[in-house]
Structures are given as C-alpha cells and as structure tokens.
Amino acid sequence: MRCFLAVMLIALFLAGCQGRYEFEGPKVDNFDGQVTKGGEPVQFEEGQKVVLRLILHADGQSFGIPIKPDGTFDIGWMPIGKYSAVLEYDKLDAKGKRVSTRAVRHNVPEGFEVVDGQTEYSIDLGSNFKP
C-alpha cells in the first residue's frame, strides 16, 4: 500500500510540473481578430462549437483556435509564419441541436500569414462558405 501511495504522489507531482506548451521560435505575443466572408463578420449560434484549425507550413504543427459566436478569437502567442486553415464547426438544426457527431470542415481557400509585430487578423473564409 505504501508503494502505491508513493507512485501516486510521484505521478501527481510530474503531472503538475508539465506546465503549458511553449513554442521555441519567433512568435507574436497575442493573436486576435475575426473570421469573415467577403469582409463581413461571420456569426455562429450560441453554444455551437467552432474551431479554426491552423497548420504551420514550416513544420506541420497544428493549432486549434476557438471561435466565439460573434466570429472573433483572442488567444495568447502564435508562431510567425504561413498557415493553411480549416474551419471546423457543428452543424445545427433549426432548434439549435447538433445534427451530427462529426464536425463540418471548410477549407479556408487562401490561408494566411502571421507576421512579426501584427497581432490583429481578419481571416476570410471565402465566398463559398455557408454556415
């Protein structure tokens, strides 16, 4: 029993020491903005899960950016570089209930680039986006 408690304490200690993931490389300290269609903000239903999945061209790392119902996002740091992007969202019925367990995926046609010194972005989902 004593050995079991020791193993559990060590496991809890190690889990607490892992901390947040940090990116080793150039990055901006803040990344915020909105998703748009033709320059107009895109909105989503309250409670609808929406994530902008970003793939860094340099090394293939993927980042999931939660999108708020008003189409905005605001997170901490973001690596500098060129990205491909996919918007993932739940399809809802007229009553606001999830239609499928699989998220709808929409490729952002032009991707975008995070540049040094810029922290605010407008990411256009393209003319064929239909929420």
Side-chain angles (χ1 to χ4, degrees):
M1 180 70 170
R2 187 177 293 169
C3 185
F4 175 76
L5 288 175
V7 169
M8 291 302 293
L9 285 173
I10 291 170
L12 287 171
F13 175 77
L14 291 175
C17 290
Q18 290 178 353
R20 293 177 51 177
Y21 171 78
E22 283 291 325
F23 178 80
E24 298 296 326
K27 60 188 174 224
V28 293
D29 293 330
N30 192 47
F31 179 68
D32 62 8
Q34 64 184 354
V35 291
T36 62
K37 177 180 177 180
E40 297 297 319
V42 174
Q43 296 196 354
F44 300 93
E45 296 292 326
E46 192 69 42
Q48 186 176 19
K49 183 180 176 185
V50 182
V51 174
L52 184 64
R53 180 94 30 219
L54 307 177
I55 300 97
L56 185 59
H57 289 191
D59 62 9
Q61 286 192 66
S62 176
F63 301 89
I65 311 300
I67 304 297
K68 299 173 189 171
D70 66 356
T72 62
F73 56 90
D74 183 11
I75 65 169
W77 58 268
M78 196 68 189
I80 293 170
K82 292 184 179 185
Y83 288 84
S84 296
V86 176
L87 187 73
E88 300 173 344
Y89 58 99
D90 292 337
K91 191 71 172 173
L92 303 178
D93 65 15
K95 295 180 182 179
K97 294 197 180 212
R98 204 160 136 197
V99 174
S100 171
T101 57
R102 295 185 66 175
V104 176
R105 293 185 178 165
H106 171 77
N107 288 325
V108 177
E110 302 205 12
F112 70 98
E113 184 174 3
V114 174
V115 296
D116 191 22
Q118 182 178 345
T119 59
E120 195 165 317
Y121 292 83
S122 178
I123 300 173
D124 193 82
L125 300 176
S127 60
N128 64 348
F129 174 71
K130 296 179 180 101

